[in-house]
Amino acid sequence: MKIVLAPMEGVVDHLMRDMLTRVGGFDLCITEFVRVVEQLLPAKTFYRLCPELRNGAVTSSGVPVRVQLLGQHPQWLAENAVRAVELGSPGIDLNFGCPAKTVNKSRGGAVLLKEPETLYQIIKAVRDAVPKDQPVSAKIRLGFDDTSLVLENADAITQAGADLLTVHARTKADGYRPPAYWEWIAKIKEVTDIPIIANGEIWNAEDALLCQQRSGCQNLMIGRGALAMPNLAQTIKNNHAPMSWQQTKELLVSYSGYEIYSDKGRYYPNRIKQWFNYLKRQYPEAEAMFVELRKLKNADDIVRMLAT
Ligand SMILES: Cc1cc2nc3c(=O)[nH]c(=O)nc-3n(C[C@H](O)[C@H](O)[C@H](O)COP(=O)(O)O)c2cc1C
């Protein structure tokens, strides 16, 4: 079984990837999306979103990190894919799942699920441009408004030569509302022979098992669940017990050592507050502590509170 750490824009940056892959259980990370419009982006854009490129494109614990691109122009995506791979990204992931209005309005992300032919053109252009030994993966939802095109989309992605397909088992219209329709992944598997990764609504080891049974997929991607329970991948893969609240607090304290000073000291307080929103789901203690945490503005005070 392989477990991929999901891309999460504004949440899972290189520091979070470092932290979560140290906790372990992940085989691959996908970066937050790099937005591609009509230009070849400078190397610094890729390094900013994926500093691991300067370090062999692996996290400090050795887990590969693949760059994700989001856009609608096959040729510009292909050129930027080549650049990302030249900078060291182990393959390219293409985002066809982003529900953000601003992104969809400019024909990026999930809105392309209405256009199987465009999916085909994009993946084909990227596949043709990137060296054969570098995988091209795509990430989709089940559709935009509904699931009517999902099999056609999966077929287009397959015909275009994608090496891997991740399916977030909800439509754009479903947003992030439970449930995730894992059974749809089993239907997709009937029309494609490329490996599939099942994604959506996996919060504990039982969910993971149920997802595997319903989707017929061994390989999983987890996002919010890994923030709610930092060792979720280990509980799924290696039967570890869920991390205790005490251990989780220690992890949060060690995260303070990751402060980005150029961010005027706000990085840690902001990210910890964001992280607590996910932790509240798993740990009742986080809910209580958040009341205090909300009032704190600097890292030292937060670390002091976490150490109590
Ligand atoms: C805050 C946030 C940011 C996300 N950013 C991305 C992104 O940049 N690229 C992408 O393909 N998916 C993105 N996603 C979707 C996740 O990768 C994943 O498909 C989704 O959260 C469902 O999986 P989960 O239930 O395990 O969280 C994002 C999701 C959230 C909640």
Side-chain angles (χ1 to χ4, degrees), residues 106-125:
S106 56
R107 279 189 68 230
V111 77
L112 293 176
L113 298 172
K114 294 177 177 181
E115 304 177 29
E117 177 59 25
T118 309
L119 295 188
Y120 175 87
Q121 295 298 344
I122 289 174
I123 291 166
K124 176 137 187 10

Side-chain angles (χ1 to χ4, degrees), residues 234-270:
Q234 294 282 28
T235 70
I236 295 171
K237 206 191 250 177
N238 297 319
N239 250 337
H240 288 192
M243 205 177 238
S244 68
W245 175 238
Q246 184 56 34
Q247 290 168 317
T248 306
K249 281 200 302 179
E250 284 162 23
L251 195 70
L252 297 174
V253 169
S254 75
Y255 192 51
S256 70
Y258 284 56
E259 180 63 276
I260 294 179
Y261 291 100
S262 64
D263 209 17
K264 299 196 180 87
R266 285 195 297 263
Y267 178 86
Y268 183 70
N270 288 343

Side-chain angles (χ1 to χ4, degrees), residues 72-219:
Q72 68 273 40
H73 303 291
Q75 222 34 54
W76 287 116
L77 284 162
E79 288 195 29
N80 282 285
V82 169
R83 173 153 288 177
V85 167
E86 280 171 0
L87 293 172
S89 175
I92 285 293
D93 190 62
L94 294 163
N95 177 327
F96 302 115
C98 182
K101 269 205 185 87
T102 43
V103 168
N104 287 179
K105 247 202 290 194
S106 56
R107 279 189 68 230
V111 77
L112 293 176
L113 298 172
K114 294 177 177 181
E115 304 177 29
E117 177 59 25
T118 309
L119 295 188
Y120 175 87
Q121 295 298 344
I122 289 174
I123 291 166
K124 176 137 187 10
V126 172
R127 183 59 286 172
D128 287 350
V130 164
K132 290 275 164 293
D133 59 342
Q134 297 293 333
V136 172
S137 52
K139 183 161 177 285
I140 62 168
R141 284 178 174 248
L142 296 180
F144 193 79
D145 297 315
D146 57 44
T147 54
S148 57
L149 288 174
V150 65
L151 299 182
E152 208 175 315
N153 282 333
D155 186 52
I157 289 165
T158 310
Q159 299 306 326
D163 299 280
L164 190 68
L165 172 63
T166 304
V167 182
H168 175 191
R170 272 187 279 243
T171 64
K172 185 267 174 191
D174 294 328
Y176 290 96
R177 261 191 324 279
Y181 301 93
W182 299 319
E183 318 74 50
W184 263 107
I185 299 176
K187 293 186 201 170
I188 293 172
K189 278 189 73 182
E190 286 173 20
V191 300
T192 177
D193 51 6
I194 58 177
I196 299 200
I197 297 179
N199 169 239
E201 219 60 35
I202 296 170
W203 297 98
N204 52 50
E206 293 74 40
D207 290 341
L209 191 61
L210 209 57
C211 172
Q212 286 176 318
Q213 286 166 350
R214 296 207 180 141
S215 66
C217 269
Q218 277 299 102
N219 299 330

Side-chain angles (χ1 to χ4, degrees), residues 220-241:
L220 306 173
M221 173 183 275
I222 54 177
R224 294 164 304 157
L227 292 158
M229 187 205 291
N231 73 335
L232 176 60
Q234 294 282 28
T235 70
I236 295 171
K237 206 191 250 177
N238 297 319
N239 250 337
H240 288 192

Side-chain angles (χ1 to χ4, degrees), residues 5-22 26 28-33 45-53 58-60 63-66 223 226-227 255 258-263 266-272 274-275 278:
L5 177 59
M8 288 178 69
E9 199 239 335
V11 180
V12 181
D13 60 2
H14 68 291
L15 301 180
M16 187 59 89
R17 287 194 289 271
D18 188 280
M19 175 115 284
L20 292 175
T21 55
R22 271 174 201 254
F26 292 104
L28 176 70
C29 303
I30 306 290
T31 66
E32 302 164 85
F33 67 78
T45 305
F46 294 94
Y47 286 131
R48 183 167 48 80
L49 278 163
C50 187
E52 294 96 332
L53 291 173
V58 291
T59 66
S60 65
V63 178
V65 184
R66 180 177 298 162
L227 292 158
Y255 192 51
Y258 284 56
E259 180 63 276
I260 294 179
Y261 291 100
S262 64
D263 209 17
R266 285 195 297 263
Y267 178 86
Y268 183 70
N270 288 343
R271 292 288 173 132
I272 283 286
Q274 184 185 54
W275 197 354
Y278 293 99

